[in-house]
Amino acid sequence: MANTALRAAADRFTDLVAAARSPRVMVTADWTVADTVAHVVSIAMLYVSRLEGTEVAIPVPGLEDMLAVTNVDTVADVNTHVLAHFTERDLGVLLSQLNTAVDSLLATTADPRSTVSWLGNARVTVGGLFAHLTNELLVHGWDIARALRRPWPMPDDHAALYWDLFMFDMLRDTYGVLLNTELPMPRQPVSVQFRSPYTATTTLTLGDRRVWIAPSDGPIDARVTFRPARFNLMMFGRISIAHAVLRRDVVIGGPRPWRLPAFLRVVHMPNSRLAPKPGQRSA
């Protein structure tokens, strides 16, 4: 499934970008179409280097040292640093680089359950890398499609791989310092159960400044039932929590649902809505 999802997402992303009238169309407040594609290409090239055991093809000073200490709140700093040194913005060249990288990934003979080093010294399976890159293509494809006013369907079964193969598997192994946010921690442990028709029901517990997968039959504070594609857009800050809840893309329940915000304040994806303001970061 991960191979199929990655190939499909890369092909659709390529077709979408090829239809852009200009590489300089603004996609977000800071990134053009070309910037967005360069960002996705840089991730794909990083993953090729991880599987092949080679240096990243993009010469970025201090990249490995920076990646080793990255957490969820400093991912944007890494992106800015990489894009400042990866200066290619020709869409034809970028799409060729993207598809060469995806072809290399899909041709790997590595065991899908074997792990490689990721951001913040987390350990991610090969299947998890594929799932994460698929999600990058889907979410940034959504950004570009909005700017181009084109449709961008996001298959829920493909979006769900981000949780089962990437996030949950990473938590079963080690996430290093990735979730070491500087935002305040809840005073008491919080357990949240995540459910969807496309993923295994999984409970995460946040306590003592760490996150772990809890027993499936254990007590919970909140329950989140979600549609993966929309949930991913919410978690990555593309749509608000209120919007997702009102559309019932995300349904929140459980005995103590009011504890969910404290959990999501810590266990969040790179998301400008949730990241600490500069004044909140410790010196």
Side-chain angles (χ1 to χ4, degrees):
M1 171 66 85
N3 291 45
T4 300
L6 178 55
R7 179 76 275 166
D11 289 348
R12 291 178 56 225
F13 187 87
T14 297
D15 291 343
L16 174 69
V17 172
R21 63 184 181 275
S22 167
R24 293 183 294 277
V25 172
M26 295 305 299
V27 170
T28 68
D30 302 308
W31 286 0
T32 64
V33 171
D35 295 330
T36 304
V37 179
H39 165 67
V40 176
V41 170
S42 70
I43 295 172
M45 287 184 170
L46 172 64
Y47 291 174
V48 170
S49 76
R50 288 293 186 262
L51 293 191
E52 295 182 351
T54 57
E55 291 187 5
V56 183
I58 304 169
V60 179
L63 179 61
E64 290 297 339
D65 289 340
M66 194 173 194
L67 294 178
V69 298
T70 296
N71 67 32
V72 67
D73 295 327
T74 60
V75 170
D77 299 333
V78 175
N79 293 338
T80 298
H81 183 67
V82 170
L83 288 181
H85 291 87
F86 180 36
T87 58
E88 180 60 68
R89 294 296 184 270
D90 181 284
L91 292 182
V93 174
L94 288 169
L95 290 178
S96 176
Q97 291 174 327
L98 174 64
N99 283 289
T100 296
V102 170
D103 288 344
S104 296
L105 292 171
L106 294 176
T108 185
T109 58
D111 181 349
R113 302 298 304 174
S114 61
T115 63
V116 297
S117 178
W118 202 66
L119 304 186
N121 279 330
R123 300 295 301 182
V124 177
T125 65
V126 173
L129 287 187
F130 288 12
H132 181 268
L133 183 54
T134 296
N135 187 64
E136 288 289 309
L137 289 160
L138 291 176
V139 171
H140 289 296
W142 187 86
D143 292 337
I144 293 171
R146 285 192 72 196
L148 301 183
R149 298 183 180 181
R150 295 176 65 91
W152 184 251
M154 292 175 61
D156 282 307
D157 54 342
H158 291 180
L161 298 175
Y162 177 85
W163 299 99
D164 274 346
L165 298 185
F166 175 73
M167 189 68 180
F168 296 154
D169 273 357
M170 179 174 62
L171 292 176
R172 289 186 182 95
D173 194 314
T174 178
Y175 63 84
V177 300
L178 190 63
L179 296 180
N180 290 10
T181 178
E182 296 167 9
L183 290 169
M185 296 283 168
R187 295 180 180 179
Q188 300 292 329
V190 182
S191 293
V192 179
Q193 184 184 81
F194 294 89
R195 304 175 61 179
S196 91
Y198 303 91
T199 60
T201 298
T202 304
T203 299
L204 303 184
T205 297
L206 167 66
D208 194 27
R209 305 192 68 84
R210 299 297 292 170
V211 184
W212 64 90
I213 293 183
S216 59
D217 57 353
I220 64 170
D221 295 293
R223 179 181 300 107
V224 177
T225 303
F226 62 95
R227 175 187 164 195
R230 300 294 292 181
F231 187 54
N232 290 5
L233 291 176
M234 184 195 88
M235 292 298 287
F236 283 86
R238 269 51 181 193
I239 61 176
S240 68
I241 295 175
H243 181 81
V245 170
L246 287 172
R247 285 175 50 104
R248 297 189 67 78
D249 294 321
V250 176
V251 178
I252 299 170
R256 290 170 292 280
W258 58 86
R259 303 204 66 197
L260 180 62
F263 178 91
L264 291 179
R265 187 171 62 234
V266 177
V267 187
H268 65 269
M269 307 301 112
N271 182 341
S272 60
R273 298 172 189 260
L274 296 174
K277 303 299 184 290
Q280 290 178 288
R281 293 188 183 184
S282 59

